[in-house]
Amino acid sequence: MGRSILSSQHSTQQSTRATVTVFAESGSWIESDAVDQCHQVAALDGMIHVAGMPDLHPGKGAPIGAAMLSSVLYPLLVGSDIGCGIAVFPIRLKRVVPERLAGRFPDLDEPVDPADLPGTDIPAGYTDQLGTVGRGNHFVELARVDEVLDGGHAERLGLTAGDTVLIVHSGSRGLGERILRSHTEVHGAGPAADPAAYLAAHDEAVRWGHLNRRIMAERVADALGAELGEPVTDVCHNSAEVRGGHYLHRKGAAPGDGTDVLIAGTRGTRSFLVAGHAGAGAGHSVAHGAGRKMSRSDALRRGRAKHTVEELRRTAVGSIVVCGDRQLLFEEAPGAYKRIEQVIGDLVAHRLATPVVSTVPLVTYKTADLAPRKGGRR
DNA sequence: ATGTAC
């Protein structure tokens, strides 16, 4: 049986072990398995501090929603989707009718032809998935700025209530996976034998991720006949950086020190753009999303009993979810995630971030909508 | 989250 978090910010310190701090209020439920994973990470050689974000949940090997500072570089603590992040682009549309716009989204499972990207500096050796969104929690969402919560900051970003924005959550696809696998095949969960070489490959995946998010935004803007602005934020939440002579690993945690970050809600609830001002105790980081409340398999099993496909495709806030994959629709159901307001509230309570604006989904693209098959289910 | 194996 795992422990539960009883204090609002509980830390443990042993002479040879790293500190673990979880930034969640006592009312916020955090799965004990995820806290156990933080302590397992804290026991690794060289580990100095583990900061759990309020969206902390169990991951494969390492917790998701954590910043981990160590004197040793562990590729597994960044995971396979190196450079995954969230960008927000202002986008100007003539008419905003979700039903019509949903049908005009491009197929973001189909890569772009690099020949169609003249003058683009494409990281070497990996072009076959450029412009694709991937699966899992990735999405491309047309959203409306809902509430302005910090007027001065929103104005500096050029955001006003009622504006439309395009939120792109995606990563480095097969490239990051390949980089991690080439490490684990030789060293397993152990440290990087050649940190500089890992970081060079990592940086390429980060660049690829940024480029991929921009390409997708341009594809969507083209298909919708919309004008796309420069991103107001584009921040990775799976990364490693050298900091004060140590390695700061982030897995499902965004840089949160002087950074504006879009913290994603769910496909059917709001998201929040926040100004991060997290210190060393929080690993200079903020949360990256609502955080899973249920495993994918639980969400699938319980979702099938609780929801119809129709209500997941047309959400409570009136948005449309483009997703031809029924299983993914259930796995990503809003109910499979924590309440984003709780996550944001925890960040505010611990003075890690200040909300700037909230956004409400209009159309969320997950994966191509399948054409109905005659006589069959889809 | 991913490519790949089942």
Side-chain angles (χ1 to χ4, degrees):
Chain A
M1 259 266 248
R3 277 158 297 180
S4 62
I5 296 186
L6 298 174
S7 63
S8 64
Q9 183 179 316
H10 83 154
S11 299
T12 52
Q13 170 82 74
Q14 296 174 14
S15 55
T16 57
R17 280 200 181 181
T19 42
V20 176
T21 308
V22 178
F23 292 84
E25 292 295 280
S26 53
S28 295
W29 179 79
I30 304 277
E31 208 170 320
S32 61
D33 286 355
V35 180
D36 291 347
Q37 283 186 338
C38 286
H39 285 277
Q40 286 157 20
V41 168
L44 294 174
D45 283 345
M47 196 58 58
I48 297 162
H49 182 59
V50 176
M53 300 293 116
D55 58 340
L56 184 71
H57 58 282
K60 195 175 170 182
I64 300 169
M68 297 154 279
L69 184 70
S70 164
S71 61
V72 175
L73 178 58
Y74 293 100
L76 204 66
L77 298 187
V78 177
S80 63
D81 198 2
I82 303 160
C84 186
I86 300 181
V88 180
F89 299 82
I91 186 169
R92 200 177 306 218
L93 290 151
K94 293 183 189 75
R95 292 179 63 205
V96 181
V97 183
E99 293 80 355
R100 292 171 60 94
L101 294 169
R104 291 171 56 192
F105 262 65
D107 183 344
L108 298 175
D109 303 324
E110 204 55 49
V112 292
D113 183 348
D116 294 339
L117 305 166
T120 305
D121 180 20
I122 301 170
Y126 201 80
T127 54
D128 33 327
Q129 291 183 318
L130 263 184
T132 63
V133 63
R135 289 288 177 116
N137 60 0
H138 291 174
F139 64 85
V140 177
E141 180 172 285
L142 185 65
R144 190 184 65 240
V145 174
D146 186 26
E147 269 187 289
V148 172
L149 303 156
D150 181 337
H153 201 126
E155 195 179 344
R156 287 197 293 283
L157 295 175
L159 296 175
T160 308
D163 285 356
T164 44
V165 291
L166 197 60
I167 305 171
V168 183
H169 177 193
S170 186
S172 57
R173 311 285 284 102
L175 175 57
E177 201 271 339
R178 193 189 295 182
I179 293 166
L180 178 64
R181 185 153 33 85
S182 69
H183 168 81
T184 54
E185 274 173 356
V186 182
H187 304 287
D194 183 349
Y198 171 80
L199 288 174
H202 161 284
D203 291 351
E204 189 162 83
V206 167
R207 284 202 300 131
W208 199 98
H210 282 299
L211 176 62
N212 197 38
R213 290 188 285 276
R214 171 175 280 281
I215 290 171
M216 280 189 277
E218 287 172 355
R219 294 183 84 176
V220 171
D222 280 354
L224 300 183
E227 191 188 328
L228 192 73
E230 286 302 307
V232 296
T233 173
D234 185 358
V235 177
C236 297
H237 48 239
N238 294 343
S239 67
E241 69 175 50
V242 178
R243 186 147 194 149
H246 299 305
Y247 298 104
L248 181 57
H249 312 74
R250 291 187 174 98
K251 170 78 170 174
D257 45 357
T259 328
D260 296 329
V261 180
L262 189 287
I263 302 183
T266 72
R267 284 5 83 218
T269 58
R270 296 187 296 171
S271 294
F272 287 79
L273 180 66
V274 306
H277 36 75
H284 306 282
S285 300
V286 295
H288 80 309
R292 292 200 77 85
K293 185 169 72 181
M294 290 175 209
S295 67
R296 292 191 174 277
S297 51
D298 283 351
L300 185 61
R301 192 160 35 77
R302 295 173 62 165
R304 275 180 172 146
K306 198 181 278 183
H307 304 294
T308 63
V309 168
E310 287 68 32
E311 71 192 63
L312 294 174
R313 290 167 58 97
R314 176 65 168 216
T315 74
V317 297
S319 66
I320 291 176
V321 179
V322 177
C323 184
D325 180 335
R326 298 163 61 96
Q327 178 171 328
L328 186 59
L329 213 44
F330 286 117
E331 288 176 355
E332 291 291 310
Y337 284 85
K338 298 173 195 176
R339 278 188 70 238
I340 185 64
E341 288 81 4
Q342 185 99 44
V343 171
I344 301 298
D346 286 354
L347 292 174
V348 171
H350 289 280
R351 302 180 190 283
L352 304 187
T354 303
V356 178
V357 303
S358 63
T359 64
V360 64
L362 297 166
V363 178
T364 306
Y365 180 100
K366 292 290 294 177
T367 186
D369 229 337
L370 297 178
R373 263 185 280 158
K374 54 176 180 181
R377 286 157 36 125
R378 55 173 172 145

